[in-house]
Amino acid sequence: MSQGKRVCVFPSTKPQFGAFSSRDLKTWKPRGELIRRDQIKWIGDDGAPEHFLWAPGVATKGGKWYLYFSVGPQNPTPSRIGVAVADQPQGPYRDSGRPLVTGGKGFEAIDPHVFTDRRSGISYLYAGGSAGATLRVWELGADMISLKREVKVAQPRMFTEGAFMHERQGTYYLSYSHGRFNADDYSVHYSTASSPIGPWRYRGRILGSDARHKGPGHHSFVKTPAGQDLIVYHRWENPAGPPPFSCERQVAIDRVNYTRDGRILPVVMTDGAASPTLKVAR
C-alpha cells in the first residue's frame, strides 16, 4: 500500500509477519516485525499440532492500522482469520484476542482483504478460496475488529482465492487468483461491478505465466504517491522441472494500464521492478 511518500509491502513467513518500504521501488528497507505467531494467544485453541501465518492484508481507518491474517492449515482443524491493531503501518500490532472468522462446512477462511468504500464509508472484508473456492464478504463493525453482517455475493467466474477490491472512476474491480498456487496455471483474473458487492461481470485474465516467470498471483493493486498504478504479486522465478513448484517465491511489482473504457490491459511481467530481498512462503 501507499503511505506518505513510501510504498509498503507486507509479505509473510510462517512464524511472523514483517514489512518493507521503499521510496523508489528499487531499494527496500525492512520495517521490522509486525506480529509473531507466539503473540496470538488464541492460535492454539483448536488443538492442531502446528500453525502457519499466511496472506496478510492491511487497512487503515480513524488513525489506526489493522492487520488481517490467515492462520492455517485447513486440516485437521478449520483455518481462521485474525486481526491485530497498530498506531502506525510498521507496527507493532496488538492481536484483538479472538479469531474474526473461522472456516468450516466447505469454507476455507483464508486470504483476508479489507476495502473501505469511499462513497458509503462501509468497510468490507473479503475472504475465502483455495480448496472450496468460495468467496464470502462481510460488512465490518465500526471498530474494524468485529463483523456487523455477512453480505451474500455471487461467486465470481474463475475465482480460486486471494480476492482484492479497488475502485477507479466509479467502477469497482474485484480481482483474484485462479488455479493451483504451485503450478503454472496460477494467474490473476478480474470482474467489475457498480458496487463493492457485485453483481460481477467477468472481464478476463490480466496476469499469467510466461516462459521465465511461473504462477503469478495473490496480488494487490496500489497507486504510488506519484500517481502510478502498480500491481504487487508473487511468482516462481524460472523454477526447475514441472509443477508442483517448490522453494521460495519472489515478490514482484509491475505497472498496470487501463483502456479508455476502463478495462485492465494484460500485465507484462518484468525483472527490473522485482526485489530479490523479498521472499514469501506458503
Side-chain angles (χ1 to χ4, degrees):
M1 65 163 39
S2 178
Q3 194 262 332
K5 295 183 178 180
R6 299 175 296 175
V7 172
C8 301
V9 296
F10 301 84
S12 63
T13 60
K14 292 177 181 179
Q16 64 188 29
F17 292 118
F20 296 81
S21 69
S22 177
R23 295 180 184 273
D24 60 7
L25 302 181
K26 296 178 182 179
T27 303
W28 292 89
K29 179 181 178 180
R31 304 301 298 184
E33 181 181 86
L34 306 184
I35 193 170
R36 297 191 313 273
R37 185 168 51 194
D38 62 6
Q39 294 173 319
I40 304 169
K41 302 304 182 184
W42 50 266
I43 201 168
D45 290 352
D46 62 347
E50 60 180 349
H51 299 93
F52 304 134
L53 299 181
W54 292 329
V58 175
T60 182
K61 196 172 190 179
K64 298 289 185 180
W65 294 80
Y66 300 88
L67 178 74
Y68 302 86
F69 54 89
S70 311
V71 174
Q74 172 74 355
N75 294 305
T77 60
S79 54
R80 291 162 292 170
I81 291 172
V83 57
V85 188
D87 298 319
Q88 53 188 348
Q90 64 266 33
Y93 284 80
R94 304 171 297 278
D95 179 63
S96 68
R98 63 186 186 279
L100 184 61
V101 175
T102 299
K105 298 182 179 179
F107 173 68
E108 192 166 350
I110 60 170
D111 298 355
H113 166 67
V114 169
F115 168 78
T116 298
D117 183 16
R118 61 180 180 179
R119 291 177 174 176
S120 66
I122 296 173
S123 295
Y124 295 96
L125 168 68
Y126 302 77
S130 201
T134 300
L135 174 68
R136 293 173 68 180
V137 179
W138 292 266
E139 182 180 335
L140 288 172
D143 59 4
M144 299 288 282
I145 62 171
S146 63
L147 303 177
K148 185 175 181 179
R149 66 184 182 102
E150 183 168 1
V151 181
K152 297 299 182 182
V153 296
Q155 294 306 298
R157 181 180 168 191
M158 306 296 284
F159 174 80
T160 298
E161 61 188 15
F164 188 91
M165 171 63 69
H166 74 284
E167 181 265 337
R168 178 180 181 271
Q169 297 180 2
T171 296
Y172 294 84
Y173 293 80
L174 178 71
S175 48
Y176 41 86
S177 298
H178 169 76
R180 179 69 179 167
F181 79 95
N182 57 0
D184 49 14
D185 68 337
Y186 204 56
S187 51
V188 177
H189 298 242
Y190 81 110
S191 297
T192 58
S194 58
S195 84
I197 54 175
W200 320 117
R201 178 188 176 192
Y202 178 71
R203 304 305 293 267
R205 189 182 78 171
I206 57 174
L207 189 59
S209 294
D210 61 22
R212 175 178 169 81
H213 316 103
K214 303 298 182 183
H218 208 148
H219 64 291
S220 299
F221 285 87
V222 64
K223 184 178 288 290
T224 70
Q228 292 181 328
D229 291 302
L230 304 174
I231 185 169
V232 184
Y233 60 97
H234 57 51
R235 66 195 187 194
W236 306 92
E237 292 295 299
N238 202 20
F245 305 133
S246 59
C247 75
E248 293 179 315
R249 290 170 288 184
Q250 187 178 62
V251 175
I253 302 174
D254 280 303
R255 294 227 181 150
V256 174
N257 294 292
Y258 296 84
T259 63
R260 289 185 177 181
D261 63 357
R263 290 180 294 112
I264 301 175
L265 291 172
V267 174
V268 177
M269 291 188 285
T270 63
D271 293 312
S275 170
T277 65
L278 299 185
K279 302 290 185 178
V280 293
R282 179 168 181 129

